[in-house]
């Protein structure tokens, strides 16, 4: 518990993605800076629109296994990123399609990907 504000900090990865039904405003500016600071290195906010990260592996099989686990996580969270799979590489692009931009749930999903241990 934070003694100054009496609030409890909850890691992004410990939260669940909340489906966005539309009508919400995309996060911009300082809101993005604060949330990206809670993710591991390698994540990038692109044009205040989406998150991207490239994961590198020793071979295709490892990249495929990671992609499969990403898919299981996406189904569990009801949050589905764009995934590009190639030999030894997985690129992930995350945004909330309903608002055509970033929502807190995108950062929650990214934090859960970080927790997968890559």
């Amino acid at each position: 518990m934070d003694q100054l504000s009496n609030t409890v900090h909850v890691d992004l990865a410990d939260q669940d993605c909340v489906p966005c039904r539309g009508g919400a405003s995309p996060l911009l500016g300082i809101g993005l800076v604060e949330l990206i600071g809670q993710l591991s290195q390698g994540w990038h906010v692109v044009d205040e629109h989406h998150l991207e990260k490239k994961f590198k592996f020793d071979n295709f099989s490892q990249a495929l296994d990671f992609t499969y686990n990403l898919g299981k996580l996406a189904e569990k969270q009801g949050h589905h990123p764009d995934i590009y799979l190639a030999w030894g590489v997985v690129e992930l692009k995350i945004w909330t399609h309903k608002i055509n931009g970033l929502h807190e749930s995108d950062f929650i999903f990214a934090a859960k990907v970080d927790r997968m241990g890559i």
Side-chain angles (χ1 to χ4, degrees), residues 9-17 34-39 77 104-112 114-115:
H9 173 74
V10 178
D11 286 338
L12 285 172
D14 292 330
Q15 300 176 48
D16 287 319
C17 295
E34 290 172 0
L35 288 168
I36 194 80
Q38 296 180 52
L39 301 177
Q77 291 297 310
E104 184 180 30
S105 287
D106 300 309
F107 291 87
I108 290 169
F109 188 82
K112 289 180 179 297
D114 285 345
R115 195 173 270 176

Side-chain angles (χ1 to χ4, degrees), residues 35-76:
L35 288 168
I36 194 80
Q38 296 180 52
L39 301 177
S40 70
Q41 288 185 342
W43 286 104
H44 304 282
V45 173
V46 178
D47 298 329
E48 293 189 320
H49 176 264
H50 60 273
L51 291 170
E52 285 185 353
K53 186 170 182 178
K54 182 184 286 189
F55 300 86
K56 295 187 179 184
F57 300 90
D58 292 334
N59 55 51
F60 184 80
S61 180
Q62 289 175 354
L64 182 60
D65 288 345
F66 179 71
T67 300
Y68 175 75
N69 289 327
L70 277 173
K72 289 194 314 187
L73 175 63
E75 281 298 301
K76 182 177 180 182

Side-chain angles (χ1 to χ4, degrees), residues 89-116:
V89 175
V90 175
E91 293 179 17
L92 194 57
K93 191 181 291 187
I94 306 170
W95 78 95
T96 299
H97 297 261
K98 291 272 186 185
I99 61 173
N100 195 30
L102 288 164
H103 185 272
E104 184 180 30
S105 287
D106 300 309
F107 291 87
I108 290 169
F109 188 82
K112 289 180 179 297
V113 172
D114 285 345
R115 195 173 270 176
M116 288 173 57

